[in-house]
């Protein structure tokens, strides 16, 4: 694996929405210098507030000795943001034309050896590379919200991406205390989102068909599958379900049931009625708790859960 000639510690974050701010916090917490650019009015103020709200959580996870909120700088152009960055993390909305335009602009001003990474949750990197002069520098680096706590990042190269770029991206995300995963073959939605999307589609069917409420679906995951998946994931969970013979017996015993029409693969039509049912169910379940309060509770939980996962599963 090709190594960096020096420790890469300069990052540019383009777009400071939920994901962009999550990246900023993660990089600051792990001792990076961060330069941010977002043309939206009030972006810097919102980012400062979000950092302040999340910093207690990242402190509990553990800060790099050089972690410092003051290592963040906001600038007024993409050119100024990316000119010295080792890694440029793009986080603009999921519109192909917009992303292609922004990535081409980044490409014009980035260093020759910089990694240009898109946080897209589903667009193929080969499509994103189309308007770049140096497409070999681009990878998809798809994180999970909240980025400053959840360590997984899916790294995907496009047709023009070099292996050297992928290797260097892997190294820099490891320096940010993440658990990078290289996806060898690009597909829409990558891995984790495709798995979550399948579950989401089935959940919508259960609500739409009047079989379960949104609260009951959440309860089924929270106190059933979710507890097991947090430790081992679906394959090892089913391996244990097979008893002493593990997955071999599990597939022999329960494999034929896969042909039964238990699930509906296509999503239900998202009618106004279904949307209102889902929205009302979520708002009722949340009760008087604001999104900010729920986020704080989620962060506290994730910090404790990640410690457990590290203790009980490599």
């Amino acid at each position: 694996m090709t190594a960096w000639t020096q420790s890469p510690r300069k990052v540019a974050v383009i777009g400071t929405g939920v994901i962009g701010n999550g990246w900023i916090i993660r990089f600051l917490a792990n001792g990076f210098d961060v330069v941010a650019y977002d043309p939206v009015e009030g972006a810097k103020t919102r980012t400062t507030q979000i950092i302040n709200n999340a910093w207690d959580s990242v402190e509990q996870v553990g800060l790099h000795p050089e972690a410092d909120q003051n290592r963040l700088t906001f600038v007024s152009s993409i050119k100024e943001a990316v000119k010295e960055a080792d890694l440029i993390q793009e986080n603009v909305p999921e519109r192909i034309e917009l992303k292609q335009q922004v990535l081409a602009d980044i490409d014009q001003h980035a260093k020759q050896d910089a990694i240009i990474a898109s946080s897209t949750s589903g667009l193929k990197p080969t499509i994103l590379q189309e308007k770049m002069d140096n497409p070999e520098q681009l990878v998809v680096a798809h994180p999970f919200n909240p980025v400053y706590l959840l360590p997984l990042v899916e790294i995907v190269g496009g047709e023009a991406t070099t292996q050297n770029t992928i290797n260097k991206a892997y190294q820099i995300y490891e320096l940010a205390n993440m658990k990078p995963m290289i996806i060898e073959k690009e597909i829409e939605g990558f891995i984790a989102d495709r798995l979550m999307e399948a579950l989401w589609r089935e959940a919508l069917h259960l609500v739409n068909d009047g079989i379960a409420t949104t609260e009951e679906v959440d309860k089924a995951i929270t106190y059933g599958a979710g507890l097991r998946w947090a430790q081992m994931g679906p394959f090892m969970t089913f391996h244990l379900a097979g008893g002493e013979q593990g997955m071999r017996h599990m597939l022999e015993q329960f494999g034929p049931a896969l042909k039964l029409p238990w699930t509906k693969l296509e999503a239900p039509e998202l009618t106004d009625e279904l949307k209102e049912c889902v929205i009302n169910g979520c708002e009722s379940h949340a009760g008087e708790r604001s999104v900010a309060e729920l986020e704080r509770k989620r962060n506290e939980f994730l910090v404790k859960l990640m410690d457990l996962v590290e203790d009980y599963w490599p």
Side-chain angles (χ1 to χ4, degrees), residues 96-104 127-128 130-131:
I96 293 176
E97 295 80 6
L98 175 61
K99 281 191 176 288
Q100 288 179 333
Q101 175 188 336
V102 170
L103 289 166
I127 295 173
L128 297 176
E130 287 181 359
K131 295 184 179 180

Side-chain angles (χ1 to χ4, degrees), residues 208-240:
N208 194 50
D209 295 345
I211 295 165
T213 65
T214 58
E215 184 175 358
E216 288 167 341
V217 170
D218 284 353
K219 187 175 184 178
I221 297 299
T222 300
Y223 298 109
L227 287 173
R228 300 184 299 184
W229 289 345
Q231 182 192 13
M232 293 185 175
F235 280 105
M236 289 305 296
T237 295
F238 281 130
H239 182 60
L240 270 62

Side-chain angles (χ1 to χ4, degrees), residues 113-174:
D113 63 345
I115 304 298
I116 301 173
S118 175
S119 298
T120 179
S121 59
L123 299 176
K124 289 183 176 181
T126 295
I127 295 173
L128 297 176
Q129 292 172 328
E130 287 181 359
K131 295 184 179 180
M132 296 176 64
D133 291 334
N134 301 286
E136 69 279 358
Q137 293 178 239
L138 180 121
V139 295
V140 162
H142 173 228
F144 297 85
N145 186 43
V147 183
Y148 51 86
L149 291 181
L150 295 183
L152 181 63
V153 56
E154 296 177 320
I155 300 175
V156 194
E159 290 179 2
T161 308
T162 63
Q163 188 62 47
N164 184 44
T165 295
I166 293 171
N167 293 345
K168 289 165 75 173
Y170 190 101
Q171 291 172 339
I172 201 168
Y173 290 116
E174 277 196 321

Side-chain angles (χ1 to χ4, degrees), residues 183-203:
I183 299 176
E184 301 292 345
K185 190 173 182 180
E186 57 178 335
I187 55 171
E188 292 88 348
F190 320 124
I191 294 177
D193 273 3
R194 286 178 74 115
L195 294 170
M196 290 189 290
E197 182 74 11
L199 180 62
W200 175 233
R201 287 195 298 267
E202 190 65 21

